[in-house]
Amino acid sequence: MSNILIKNIQALFQCGENFPAFLKGKEMDNVPQIQNAFVLIENGLIKDYGSMKDAPSMFHETNIFETIDANGKFVLPCFIDSHTHIVFAKYREEEFVDRINGLSYEDIAKKGGGILNSAQKLASSSEEFLFNFSMERINLIKKYGTGAVEIKSGYGLSPDAEIKMLRVIKKIKEKSTLDVKATFLGAHAIPLEYKNNTEKYVDLIIEKMLPIVAEEQLADFVDVFCERNYFSVKQMEKILIATDKVGLRSKVHVNQFSSLGGIQKAVELKSLSVDHLEVMENEDYQALKRSNTIATLLPACSYFINIPYANAKKFLKKDIPFCLASDFNPGSTPTGNMQFVMSLACTQMKLTPEQALNAMTINAAYSMGLQNELGTISKGKKAKLILTNSIPSLAYIPYAFGQNHIENTIGF
Ligand code: NIG
Ligand code: FE
């Protein structure tokens, strides 16, 4: 791998050493930056960075094969999308039209649409088709600056189809230049044939699917959609205890439509993240305080299916760490554009651009277990960087929404 020098950077964002594993409260207000900066990359890792005035003495000592003149543009660490369902067989724009005509996301699911609709499409799709179709989206999110992505299964809902999805994710891991983490989400919805016997499906997940997932090392994490009409807190608990037994950690969907006590249980069982959190009671915030479980907020999902936004300001005020992710999926969020997510975080959740960037980099890295590798521009971390267009400020990214402000990605 070549050594790369990026010079004449107008401002280098999120750079420094000895960051905490994640930021919370007031710590999220600032993004460290160096004006008129350089970055030196060696073998894909950050070797050095600093002010241009300190650069020359070091340049001739180092073997530089490629120089990129940033020409007054900005450099940031890549965006990290810690919650997606990017592998699917078909978009579901017909349900979008149903919602325009008055049905709710939950109404559509009750009619057999939603996740079950995606599962039906996926069952008849080949691994090769799924890989190629999903790679289109991987290449798309890369253009918008995403350098690491978590991908869930959950449109299989049978041992064969779940394993098929996880194999596709594994292949994406091998073939793409993004850092990929795989999450097994067998408990995404109740298949029709188990409608009157959900316990039996939970047992199938625990006894049949989870052992294969663990044995073949097909997932880094396990997820459960804990929600009314989906999986109860008790059922989630059962799955998470089994998850712990096979040595995996969990990241769970909770509190999207109702507060059932899933957050408390997930914190107790040491989930790495609890995701959605649009509907929250005081006890839910309380459970998250002083835990190592990070919240994942998904504003593009709220935007698209017209549900309340998670109360990001309250998380800040209560010193509860959170990250932002896209939730890219064909039902509730058909985009993986993290610049749009940033814009919604600012306009709808009233976060500052700095708070939003912290949530999409350092905190998002933590929520994927990548805090030692990505999330900041620090010596020894992976050099997956974004070079912006000629834009006037960091705030311009969420301000001028609906456009791509990335000129190039470097290192991925
Ligand atoms: O996170 N809420 C559950 N799962 C996804 C949506 C999946 C779908 O509609 O296909 C979500 O919003
Ligand atoms: Fe999701």
Side-chain angles (χ1 to χ4, degrees):
M1 235 183 277
S2 63
N3 295 351
I4 303 171
L5 169 71
I6 314 172
K7 63 178 190 180
N8 300 326
I9 302 165
Q10 187 188 142
L12 180 68
F13 288 100
Q14 203 65 302
C15 53
E17 301 301 311
N18 305 317
F19 283 93
F22 53 76
L23 303 175
K24 55 183 167 32
K26 285 255 156 260
E27 296 164 355
M28 292 186 74
D29 290 353
N30 297 313
V31 171
Q33 50 179 288
I34 300 174
Q35 308 297 317
N36 194 17
F38 77 93
V39 180
L40 185 67
I41 301 168
E42 192 178 77
N43 296 325
L45 302 178
I46 303 290
K47 166 92 172 158
D48 203 0
Y49 57 87
S51 164
M52 278 303 283
K53 69 176 167 18
D54 301 326
S57 61
M58 183 250 339
F59 286 169
H60 56 257
E61 292 166 21
T62 325
N63 208 356
I64 296 158
F65 299 110
E66 187 186 344
T67 302
I68 297 171
D69 192 338
N71 222 344
K73 295 161 195 161
F74 300 126
V75 170
L76 292 79
C78 66
F79 301 137
I80 295 178
D81 193 349
S82 64
H83 180 139
T84 83
H85 310 248
I86 213 169
V87 172
F88 53 83
K90 194 185 167 293
Y91 282 92
R92 304 203 311 256
E93 66 277 13
E94 67 287 356
E95 293 181 2
F96 164 65
V97 177
D98 286 345
R99 279 190 293 105
I100 295 169
N101 289 324
L103 290 182
S104 73
Y105 179 80
E106 285 185 287
D107 293 336
I108 291 167
K110 278 192 202 127
K111 284 199 323 173
I115 296 164
L116 294 182
N117 182 359
S118 281
Q120 207 178 22
K121 300 282 170 359
L122 189 126
S124 56
S125 304
S126 71
E127 232 174 275
E128 193 191 351
F129 166 79
L130 281 171
F131 171 74
N132 290 331
F133 189 44
S134 304
M135 278 305 285
E136 285 178 15
R137 291 183 284 279
I138 293 287
N139 292 329
L140 193 64
I141 62 170
K142 179 174 157 178
K143 288 201 181 96
Y144 282 96
T146 298
V149 64
E150 181 258 16
I151 310 175
K152 299 172 193 298
S153 67
Y155 293 127
L157 308 181
S158 72
D160 283 355
E162 281 295 314
I163 301 303
K164 174 166 74 178
M165 274 193 90
L166 288 167
R167 292 218 173 96
V168 170
I169 300 171
K170 191 174 182 182
K171 196 162 163 200
I172 295 173
K173 223 184 226 194
E174 287 159 10
K175 302 278 179 199
S176 97
T177 55
L178 275 67
D179 272 56
V180 174
K181 292 279 184 192
T183 299
F184 168 53
L185 177 55
H188 197 193
I190 320 276
L192 277 184
E193 61 271 37
Y194 292 93
K195 211 172 151 201
N196 299 317
N197 196 351
T198 55
E199 282 308 320
K200 211 168 156 207
Y201 183 60
V202 171
D203 290 344
L204 184 74
I205 291 172
I206 294 173
E207 286 158 22
K208 192 103 194 265
M209 303 193 208
L210 202 50
I212 305 175
V213 171
E215 168 80 28
E216 296 189 21
Q217 297 184 358
L218 287 169
D220 303 288
F221 304 108
V222 173
D223 193 346
V224 176
F225 187 17
C226 178
E227 187 57 67
R228 60 185 179 213
N229 300 325
Y230 293 85
F231 296 87
S232 67
V233 175
K234 264 258 148 287
Q235 290 171 330
M236 179 183 79
E237 179 179 24
K238 232 172 135 180
I239 296 170
L240 296 197
I241 289 173
T243 297
D244 190 56
K245 284 202 181 119
V246 297
L248 291 174
R249 273 190 94 178
S250 56
K251 289 165 73 65
V252 293
H253 283 73
V254 277
N255 293 53
Q256 182 176 10
F257 302 111
S258 54
S259 169
L260 306 174
I263 294 183
Q264 289 83 329
K265 191 48 79 184
V267 167
E268 184 190 317
L269 296 174
K270 303 206 165 25
S271 290
L272 180 54
S273 74
V274 285
D275 304 19
H276 273 288
L277 281 44
E278 289 89 351
V279 178
M280 293 284 282
E281 302 292 340
N282 270 337
E283 309 85 81
D284 297 321
Y285 289 107
Q286 227 30 54
L288 282 170
K289 273 204 79 119
R290 285 178 288 278
S291 79
N292 287 322
T293 303
I294 193 165
T296 305
L297 312 185
L298 307 163
C301 173
S302 296
Y303 167 83
F304 193 67
I305 62 169
N306 260 312
I307 59 172
Y309 287 83
N311 192 340
K313 288 289 240 192
K314 206 157 173 177
F315 283 87
L316 278 176
K317 215 161 143 214
K318 290 183 175 289
D319 269 344
I320 298 169
F322 65 89
C323 64
L324 288 163
S326 73
D327 201 13
F328 198 171
N329 75 76
S332 71
T333 322
T335 185
N337 178 349
M338 288 296 282
Q339 295 172 62
F340 180 59
V341 170
M342 186 182 192
S343 193
L344 289 174
C346 295
T347 59
Q348 308 302 304
M349 295 172 150
K350 307 288 176 217
L351 295 179
T352 65
E354 288 78 10
Q355 289 164 341
L357 186 71
N358 278 321
M360 293 157 57
T361 55
I362 178 166
N363 284 9
Y366 175 81
S367 81
M368 285 176 68
L370 288 173
Q371 66 272 20
N372 296 325
E373 292 163 64
L374 287 167
T376 64
I377 298 176
S378 309
K379 289 175 195 170
K381 278 196 180 179
K382 286 186 185 169
K384 292 195 166 176
L385 307 175
I386 289 169
L387 178 66
T388 66
N389 288 332
S390 292
I391 55 173
S393 61
L394 177 68
Y396 190 84
I397 297 177
Y399 156 80
F401 74 97
Q403 306 166 42
N404 190 2
H405 300 293
I406 309 301
E407 181 177 288
N408 218 339
T409 59
I410 300 163
F412 68 105

